[in-house]
Amino acid sequence: MPSSSVSLMLMFATTLLVVSSAAGNFYRDIDITWGDGRGKILNNGQLLTLSLDKASGSGFQSKNQYLFGKIDMQLKLVPGNSAGTVTAYYLSSQGPTHDEIDFEFLGNLSGNPYILHTNVFSQGKGNREQQFYLWFDPTADFHTYSILWNPQRIIFSVDGTPIRDFKNSESIGVPFPKNQPMRIYSSLWNADDWATRGGLVKTDWTHAPFTASYQNFNADDACVVWSSGASSCASSSSQSSSSNNNVWLSQELDSTNQDRMNWVQKNYMIYNYCTDTNRFPQGLPPECTTTNLS
C-alpha cells in the first residue's frame, strides 16, 4: 500500500478518536473575563459558550498560569455564515515582550472551509504563521485542539494528529518561549477588516448571535506556576525522566506522527511563513532551515 494511503488511513482513523481526558470543570478552571453575559458556563461546569453580536464579543482565561504543559480543549466552532468572525484559543503571557502560542479559527461564508491560523510569539516577536484547512467540518461536532509545549518544541495537534512542530532554535539565536508563564485565553470577536478573504467579506449581523462551544478542558499534564513563582513541577523535576508523569516534558514526534504531520502539511497547509520569500526579501527567518521547516 502506498505510504500516502497509509497516512490517509491513519489520519481519518485518528479523527474519529476523542482525546481522553479527565473531565475538567469550567467553574473550577476558567474565568469569563469579558462580554457582559455573552460568555456562559453551563451543564454544571461541563460546557462553556462564547457569543458575538454587533455590540460585543466575549472571552475567558484560565485561573491558572502554566510554564510548559500539554493542553487539550474541545471546540465546536460557529456554524453557518461565520464570515468576519474569529475564534481565538491560545496561550499567552503579558507585557511588550510577551510569549504566545496561537490557534485562531477564521470564519467563512457558508459552505467554505474554516482557516486554522497558527502562530508562535517569543519575546514579543511573532510573524511565524502557518495556516491550514481542516479535513472535517469543525462546526458539526466537537474536536480536540491540543498544544504540547515543552523546553524543546511546541506541537500543535488536532484530534491527536500533529499539524505543526515548532522546534527550539535558540542555538541559532531564535528566542523560544520558556521563561514566562502563560495563561490560556479564548475569545470570539469581530475581525471583518481582515479575517475572511483579507477583509473583503464582512460580518453579516443578520446571522448574530454567533456562538462557539467548549468542553473537556484538560491541563493535567502541565506545570502550574503560582503567584509566588513556585511551580507544581518543581517537586517532580528531580524524579527520573522515565517517570510517566514527565514523559511530555521531553516528548517529540515519532516516525509515525512525523509522517502524519507531513501528510497534513502536504495536503492541508495553505500558508507557511518559512516559504514566503516575497515577505522576507532579505532572507527567510533563521529557524526556516531544512531541519526546522515543520
Side-chain angles (χ1 to χ4, degrees), residues 61-219:
Q61 70 181 43
S62 61
K63 293 180 185 292
N64 289 328
Q65 55 182 350
Y66 305 93
L67 186 60
F68 306 124
K70 183 178 184 296
I71 313 294
D72 301 324
M73 182 79 84
Q74 292 185 338
L75 281 74
K76 183 163 64 173
L77 299 179
V78 174
N81 182 352
S82 57
T85 72
V86 172
T87 304
Y89 165 59
Y90 59 104
L91 286 160
S92 184
S93 62
Q94 299 297 309
T97 59
H98 75 292
D99 296 335
E100 188 171 314
I101 304 168
D102 292 339
F103 278 115
E104 290 186 298
F105 303 90
L106 311 187
N108 59 12
L109 288 170
S110 299
N112 291 331
Y114 260 84
I115 291 175
L116 170 53
H117 175 101
T118 67
N119 201 357
V120 176
F121 286 74
S122 52
Q123 295 296 308
K125 180 181 180 298
N127 300 323
R128 300 184 178 100
E129 302 92 344
Q130 290 184 354
Q131 294 183 338
F132 305 82
Y133 288 140
L134 294 166
W135 52 93
F136 52 84
D137 178 358
T139 73
D141 205 349
F142 287 93
H143 292 268
T144 303
Y145 302 91
S146 304
I147 295 168
L148 172 66
W149 169 37
N150 66 33
Q152 295 82 39
R153 60 197 359 97
I154 297 163
I155 300 173
F156 297 78
S157 298
V158 178
D159 286 334
T161 294
I163 64 170
R164 180 175 185 179
D165 182 5
F166 182 83
K167 300 179 180 70
N168 184 330
S169 298
E170 289 179 305
S171 62
I172 55 173
V174 179
F176 184 82
K178 68 172 190 178
N179 297 314
Q180 301 186 76
M182 296 196 265
R183 294 187 191 273
I184 296 151
Y185 296 88
S186 189
S187 58
L188 176 56
W189 52 291
N190 179 42
D192 67 3
D193 56 334
W194 65 270
T196 306
R197 294 186 58 205
L200 294 177
V201 182
K202 301 301 183 182
T203 305
D204 184 346
W205 294 110
T206 64
H207 294 278
F210 305 97
T211 301
S213 303
Y214 303 74
Q215 66 179 21
N216 287 342
F217 167 66
N218 182 21

